[in-house]
Amino acid sequence: MVLDNPDAVMTHLRFNPVRMLIGGELVDGTHHAAVIDPALASQCAVAPMATPEQLEQAVGAAKAAFPLWSATPIAERRRRLHLFAKVLESNVAELAAILTLEQGRPLALTRVEIERAAMLLRALLTIDIGDDVLRDDDSGRVILQHRPLGVVGAIAPWNVPIGLAVPKITHALYTGNTIVLKPSPYTPLATLKLAELAKDVFPRGVFNVINGDNDVGALMTTHADVAKITLTGSIATGKRVVASSASTLKRLTLELGGNDAAIVRKDVNLDQVVPALFGAAFVNSGQVCMAIKRMFVHSAIHDELVERMAAIARDTAMGGGFIPNVKLGPVQNQVQFDSILSVLKETKADPRARFAVGGNALNKPGYFIEPTIVTGLSQGMRLVDEETFGPVLPVMQYENDEDAVAQANAGKYGLCASVWSANVTEAQNVAAGLVAGTVWINRHVGVDPLVPFGGTKESGLGRQFGKEGLLSFTETRALYSPPGA
């Protein structure tokens, strides 16, 4: 089975349609929705859509499976999750091809997404989440226990579907919870296929995957039997989840939008940093929460840096993800495509804006927007203040570090930031003033599974990864025992 072109993948899906996983059984939906190939802006497949009754079945199955799974020794939970990682690794060709069809990212990069998901999974399993002894003396013994919560409702986004769903699955199941996962209805195919491939890895009901629109997600966030919601999405969606989950005081892990800033000091080596900056800004056509969304460049090097980045943009191949040597794919969906074009139209109307490169949709089928770099902007402009989430980068000048930090910290976002400098000590001093959950020096983008990741301000609640992220899927209980117990 060679899945190296859209027609082959569509034929494969037609003869092997995806289904949902509920209580250990693969089930169809009572109705189906079209899935759009963003490289052609046309239907490539259909996916089953869950009814409210099927959501109830999935939550009920997860609830019924919880007592046995939560009591399963951690070594056995770890073993089964390693088997899950092997499913990813053994089926990377099929999963990556399906993912490229529905998401648009070049095939070589969706393969990396699948492989990296397995790597992140295995790394998380090396973290010790056992009980902690806080005291053991003449006054008695105190043990801090980390007990699973129950059913976790997980909502994954369309930009990195497998790469962001697998850590949610791992966090939930490793800590003894059961899960109901809902992928984005824009990109459900690879996730539903993964559920099919992993159907027998876990006991029935431990791992459930349904597809549905926002109404199904809303029902999940209000469901009395769902103990925790883990979401990667927009700030607006996160706020709706907070409001709807308030009646049951659900535990929340929300990784939301990031209008991430990069500060580039005048002492950098442009030969070294320009390719890295371009890659960190335009990765996945800018559709990554932690990508560079705003760049602040010292005035002494601003013009040269912009022209060098524009030159890379002009030489970057953009097209369908199955075309060899393509580096950037389309924007994933019509709604996001229209939103980005709206921002570009508004920016073009501002006399201060200068487009160093790009600024238009490509004259071809699909949701393609040229890699775009804009200068001359400032705070108060939509392209600067909001997360565009596409292949568009505003570059602003600054004169001193204090000014750069103040501009970078402006606004409601606080996910990630970076400082670029030949002097690491001075870069660390600049980094100390940045308000963000993650700050890099001389790099940008990428998580370490052993290090907690999440946002400040309106960029999220809680953390994923690291021991802190895993334990946020548990309830802490202090157990007091008498001396000598």
Side-chain angles (χ1 to χ4, degrees), residues 270-289:
L270 291 177
D271 291 336
Q272 294 176 350
V273 305
V274 166
L277 289 166
F278 184 89
F282 292 94
V283 57
N284 198 17
S285 296
Q287 300 167 112
V288 174
C289 57

Side-chain angles (χ1 to χ4, degrees), residues 124-451:
L124 283 167
L125 299 181
T126 67
I127 299 173
D128 179 14
I129 57 171
D131 296 345
D132 300 310
V133 178
L134 297 185
R135 181 188 304 153
D136 190 5
D137 54 27
D138 292 342
S139 66
R141 181 179 176 88
V142 181
I143 301 176
L144 203 61
Q145 299 176 319
H146 309 295
R147 298 159 64 85
L149 298 166
V151 178
V152 171
I155 302 173
W158 48 257
N159 60 322
V160 189
I162 297 294
L164 293 173
V166 168
K168 296 182 189 302
I169 297 166
T170 309
H171 281 69
L173 301 191
Y174 183 38
T175 51
N177 303 283
T178 55
I179 190 169
V180 178
L181 170 67
K182 190 190 89 66
S184 166
Y186 289 122
T187 55
L189 301 174
T191 307
L192 291 171
K193 178 58 67 173
L194 174 60
E196 175 189 326
L197 294 168
K199 180 175 77 74
D200 298 323
V201 169
F202 305 103
R204 289 172 174 265
V206 169
F207 175 45
N208 306 272
V209 182
I210 62 172
N211 182 44
D213 55 22
N214 292 336
D215 290 343
V216 171
L219 288 172
M220 186 186 296
T221 63
T222 58
H223 201 293
D225 290 331
V226 174
K228 181 181 175 78
I229 294 290
T230 173
L231 162 80
T232 301
S234 67
I235 289 176
T237 300
K239 289 181 177 179
R240 288 195 294 270
V241 168
V242 171
S244 61
S245 63
S247 62
T248 53
L249 289 179
K250 295 189 193 312
R251 285 15 180 191
L252 299 173
T253 298
L254 307 177
E255 195 246 287
L256 307 178
N259 198 14
D260 301 343
I263 296 174
V264 186
R265 304 180 79 241
K266 65 181 178 181
D267 61 357
V268 297
N269 182 322
L270 291 177
D271 291 336
Q272 294 176 350
V273 305
V274 166
L277 289 166
F278 184 89
F282 292 94
V283 57
N284 198 17
S285 296
Q287 300 167 112
V288 174
C289 57
M290 65 177 73
I292 296 173
K293 309 291 185 6
R294 299 174 293 154
M295 190 178 296
F296 300 94
V297 181
H298 194 279
S299 59
I301 60 169
H302 172 273
D303 292 351
E304 183 178 358
L305 183 146
V306 168
E307 182 48 44
R308 288 193 184 206
M309 290 192 65
I312 296 176
R314 296 184 192 102
D315 290 339
T316 298
M318 172 172 273
F322 291 97
I323 300 173
N325 301 317
V326 158
K327 302 299 182 185
L328 295 181
V331 173
Q332 198 285 317
N333 59 76
Q334 178 82 57
V335 172
Q336 190 62 25
F337 180 72
D338 291 343
S339 174
I340 297 168
L341 291 181
S342 172
V343 173
L344 288 174
K345 181 179 180 181
E346 183 177 313
T347 304
K348 289 176 182 178
D350 194 307
R352 295 171 294 177
R354 184 178 76 84
F355 283 74
V357 67
N360 302 295
L362 295 185
N363 185 23
K364 61 184 297 184
Y367 306 130
F368 291 97
I369 295 175
E370 300 170 314
T372 299
I373 299 172
V374 189
T375 64
L377 309 184
S378 60
Q379 292 174 37
M381 303 177 71
R382 187 175 168 196
L383 180 55
V384 177
D385 292 354
E386 298 182 10
E387 180 186 29
T388 305
F389 215 68
V392 182
L393 177 68
V395 181
M396 282 71 68
Q397 298 188 47
Y398 75 90
E399 298 298 333
N400 57 69
D401 291 338
E402 292 75 16
D403 176 45
V405 169
Q407 292 188 67
N409 286 342
K412 62 187 177 183
Y413 299 92
L415 188 61
C416 303
S418 59
V419 182
W420 302 71
S421 175
N423 188 317
V424 173
T425 300
E426 292 183 3
Q428 289 173 329
N429 292 334
V430 175
L434 291 170
V435 180
T438 296
V439 181
W440 295 282
I441 293 174
N442 293 335
R443 55 170 292 203
H444 197 117
V445 177
V447 297
D448 182 331
L450 305 183
V451 178

